[in-house]
């Protein structure tokens, strides 16, 4: 089923999403956004997303190695899925480009879920402490 957005929706999405991304990058760059992990606070265990805020802050400051140490999953799955999100954004905002919808296969979905769950488990085991946020 093909989704067609009205012109005003494409304009709002086309302008609003980049503005929101720039706003978040400015907040991260200036150190004004520090979101604690509720899962870590409640359980004392790291979730797959723990360290992502610090990783993004290090990334906008150009410290890629430090960013990778905070949350390597951001690079392992974040880059490919970020590319898919950008593709879908362009497809919805600029329908004239003729981009086709991205359809992930069942194996990719299950594989990604497996990687996330394994990462979640391993980063809480002392032998794999290098996966925990630095």
């Amino acid at each position: 089923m093909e989704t067609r957005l009205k012109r005003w929706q494409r304009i709002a999405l086309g302008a609003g999403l980049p503005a929101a991304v720039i706003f978040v990058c400015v907040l991260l760059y200036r150190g004004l956004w520090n979101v604690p992990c509720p899962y870590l606070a409640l359980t004392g265990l790291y979730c797959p997303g723990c360290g992502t805020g610090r990783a993004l802050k290090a990334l906008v400051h150009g410290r890629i190695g430090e960013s990778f140490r905070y949350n390597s999953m951001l690079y392992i799955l974040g880059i490919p899925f970020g590319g898919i999100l950008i593709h879908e954004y362009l497809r919805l905002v600029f329908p004239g480009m003729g981009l086709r919808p991205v359809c992930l296969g069942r194996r990719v979905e299950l594989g990604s879920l497996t990687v996330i769950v394994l990462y979640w488990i391993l980063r809480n085991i002392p032998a794999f402490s290098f996966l925990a946020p630095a």
Side-chain angles (χ1 to χ4, degrees):
M1 179 176 164
E2 184 67 26
T3 303
R4 291 278 182 195
L5 296 177
K6 295 179 177 123
R7 173 174 272 152
W8 71 268
Q9 290 172 319
R10 289 196 328 265
I11 291 170
L13 183 62
L17 189 61
V21 168
I22 290 169
F23 180 71
V24 168
C25 286
V26 168
L27 288 178
L28 287 168
Y29 185 79
R30 304 202 86 201
L32 300 174
W33 190 15
N34 184 18
V35 181
C37 177
Y39 183 79
L40 177 62
L42 289 173
T43 65
L45 299 172
Y46 298 117
C47 74
C50 277
T52 301
R54 288 175 286 161
L56 290 172
K57 181 179 178 184
L59 187 61
V60 297
H61 282 277
R63 299 186 306 260
I64 296 171
E66 182 181 334
S67 173
F68 190 81
R69 284 190 302 275
Y70 284 133
N71 192 332
S72 55
M73 187 60 63
L74 183 65
Y75 294 90
I76 295 168
L77 290 179
I79 291 174
F81 284 116
I84 292 170
L85 287 174
I86 290 169
H87 173 89
E88 289 300 303
Y89 167 80
L90 293 173
R91 184 180 69 80
L92 290 171
V93 175
F94 304 106
M97 291 178 73
L99 297 174
R100 294 175 31 192
V102 173
C103 182
L104 298 177
R106 187 88 168 144
R107 289 182 182 164
V108 173
E109 292 171 352
L110 290 174
S112 300
L113 181 62
T114 302
V115 167
I116 291 169
V117 170
L118 283 174
Y119 181 72
W120 192 346
I121 293 168
L122 291 176
R123 72 187 322 203
N124 288 293
I125 296 173
F128 295 93
S129 62
F130 61 91
L131 293 175

